[in-house]
Amino acid sequence: MVVLAVAVFVTLSSCALGCSRSTNSTELQRWSAEHQVAERLAAAFKETASLRSQQTAREALTQVHVRGHQTAARREVAGTNVLTYGPSDDEEDVLHFPGKDSGRRRDPCFHYTVLDQAWRATNTTTKNKKCDRHVKWIGWYRLFYKGESIQMPERCVPSNKCGTHAPLWLAGPHPKRRDGIVTRKVCGHWKKKCCAFRSTPIRVKKCLGNYYVYEFTQPSACYLAYCADINTLVCGRCTRSQSCVSRDRINWRCKRNKMASIKIHFFASYPGQLKGKVNRIKYSNVLVNVGRAFDRRTGAFRAPVNGVYQFFFSTQTANAGLKTDLWLVVNNYWVTVSHTHVSRPSTVGSLSTYMTFLRRGSVVYVTHNCGRSWANAASSTITFGGSLLVQMR
């Protein structure tokens, strides 16, 4: 088709050159040249249409070939029709790496058989026992339970579960993605022996998308069948504040965690005198610091959990006519004051308390706003302390 187009172009070019050189050409010569060009263009269009028709035919044959492979992939596994699948559209988008199509064709993560049989679940018992030795296992399989992805159990499954006499479980951990394809032993539980049957080992691979594919083989005897661990479905739905619990190790549920009991208490003093404005009193003598929420270097308390806290702070002054104020500061807000004002020569002490709800990370400290406070190492009159009363979520 390219050669024909070049020929047309050359003909047109030669016609143009001939017209420019011979202005005395007859109408017959012009008609003959134009007729030749039209015939060649018609031949080119005809060849293009033929090529398109052949391409359409090849595409149709390809579609028939694909449908034939999909139909041939259907087979019966333990009495249930299943279908061999490649990756879904979403998985294709995620897993597509240019230049690695040949590797994907050999990757079992892209070509597996969906095995969705409810009787394989670890919490299922049936009268009609199944035996996977009667199944002609071909290739790789991915376990499902009622349309949701699931995996084999890694623990001993009680006898007469998974629709069989001796349930088969994976005697080893599932691999990580970087491990690639690994070989794992398979055990069958019978008569209180978790590995009474040592079945034929299988190969396992973890795929992108947090699921596993298995290359199942015929078990060593009957009645044995591969299990699908229902725990991996139920426990996968538990939140961070929940734990997956079970009484019989068969039926599982998500249970809200009990809050760990945490104790917070602190008491500190300043062994000296304070005068005028001190932005943050650094109580250097720390006597109690349960939970380590008080920092002697900064003189500040930082709430480790949400909850209701109670604080107290005190001072002592002895100067006549002088006002002394200490403020409790919570998250940079002055919330309560310890005030003393001595009208005659004497010594006066003051103690203030404050209770509030704090979120985790809240900062509490004491500031000396004005006046004079007195203390020494033995008196402990300039003090600051507090406790967690109730922990909250």
Side-chain angles (χ1 to χ4, degrees), residues 315-352:
T315 186
Q316 184 172 351
T317 184
N319 289 1
L322 189 64
K323 180 179 70 171
T324 302
D325 288 343
L326 274 71
W327 281 86
L328 185 70
V329 182
V330 178
N331 293 330
N332 295 322
Y333 288 95
W334 294 23
V335 295
T336 189
V337 63
S338 174
H339 172 76
T340 59
H341 190 185
V342 181
S343 58
R344 59 182 184 275
S346 64
T347 179
V348 176
S350 175
L351 175 67
S352 297

Side-chain angles (χ1 to χ4, degrees), residues 347-364:
T347 179
V348 176
S350 175
L351 175 67
S352 297
T353 61
Y354 186 74
M355 185 185 299
T356 185
F357 169 79
L358 295 180
R359 295 191 178 278
R360 179 182 178 182
S362 298
V363 177
V364 184

Side-chain angles (χ1 to χ4, degrees), residues 21-291:
R21 293 174 183 176
S22 303
T23 56
N24 299 325
S25 300
T26 63
E27 292 295 331
L28 182 61
Q29 290 175 335
R30 287 197 188 113
W31 177 86
S32 176
E34 291 175 357
H35 183 67
Q36 291 176 0
V37 172
E39 286 181 346
R40 291 176 181 177
L41 286 174
F45 286 134
K46 184 176 180 180
E47 183 175 352
T48 301
S50 176
L51 290 174
R52 287 178 179 175
S53 176
Q54 293 176 11
Q55 183 177 1
T56 303
R58 283 197 299 269
E59 290 177 353
L61 289 173
T62 300
Q63 292 296 328
V64 171
H65 183 68
V66 170
R67 292 194 191 98
H69 272 284
Q70 290 178 344
T71 302
R74 292 186 178 275
R75 55 186 176 272
E76 188 171 316
V77 177
T80 302
N81 288 327
V82 294
L83 177 62
T84 300
Y85 285 92
S88 64
D89 294 338
D90 294 338
E91 289 169 335
E92 284 282 4
D93 294 338
V94 173
L95 297 173
H96 179 66
F97 298 96
K100 294 187 178 181
D101 290 339
S102 60
R104 284 167 45 189
R105 285 194 293 268
R106 297 188 298 269
D107 191 342
C109 290
F110 292 90
H111 304 282
Y112 53 80
T113 298
V114 171
L115 199 59
D116 191 343
Q117 296 165 315
W119 58 264
R120 291 187 182 273
T122 50
N123 63 345
T124 301
T125 301
T126 59
K127 293 182 179 179
N128 298 323
K129 305 301 182 183
K130 308 292 184 178
C131 181
D132 280 342
R133 187 170 176 79
H134 298 156
V135 179
K136 294 182 180 179
W137 300 100
I138 301 175
W140 293 77
Y141 296 81
R142 180 179 173 184
L143 292 171
F144 278 78
Y145 179 76
K146 296 182 179 180
E148 297 193 50
S149 186
I150 204 171
Q151 66 192 59
M152 283 189 68
E154 296 178 1
R155 61 176 179 82
C156 184
V157 180
S159 301
N160 296 309
K161 294 294 180 180
C162 305
T164 190
H165 285 307
L168 294 176
W169 56 283
L170 203 65
H174 280 78
K176 298 180 180 179
R177 284 193 59 225
R178 64 173 176 265
D179 297 333
I181 298 175
V182 300
T183 301
R184 290 288 184 262
K185 295 180 180 178
V186 177
C187 284
H189 180 204
W190 186 244
K191 292 184 177 180
K192 297 182 179 181
K193 293 183 179 180
C194 287
C195 208
F197 293 95
R198 295 183 179 273
S199 187
T200 309
I202 63 173
R203 295 202 297 169
V204 188
K205 183 178 182 181
K206 184 173 184 179
C207 302
L208 184 65
N210 197 29
Y211 66 90
Y212 299 90
V213 290
Y214 307 87
E215 190 177 34
F216 291 136
T217 60
Q218 287 183 328
S220 56
C222 276
Y223 284 83
L224 283 73
Y226 294 105
C227 283
D229 192 355
I230 196 67
N231 309 327
T232 59
L233 178 64
V234 176
C235 297
R237 297 173 177 172
C238 297
T239 63
R240 291 184 178 180
S241 62
Q242 295 176 325
S243 296
C244 196
V245 298
S246 172
R247 291 183 178 180
D248 55 7
R249 305 292 295 176
I250 301 172
N251 300 295
W252 295 75
R253 63 187 180 89
C254 296
K255 183 180 179 181
R256 195 174 189 86
N257 296 329
K258 291 183 178 179
M259 295 181 61
S261 176
I262 183 170
K263 296 180 180 180
I264 303 295
H265 306 284
F266 76 98
F267 176 72
S269 67
Y270 184 85
Q273 297 187 27
L274 296 172
K275 184 178 180 180
K277 189 172 183 63
V278 179
N279 289 330
R280 182 182 297 182
I281 303 174
K282 296 182 180 180
Y283 299 88
S284 58
N285 189 13
V286 180
L287 304 176
V288 177
N289 194 13
V290 178

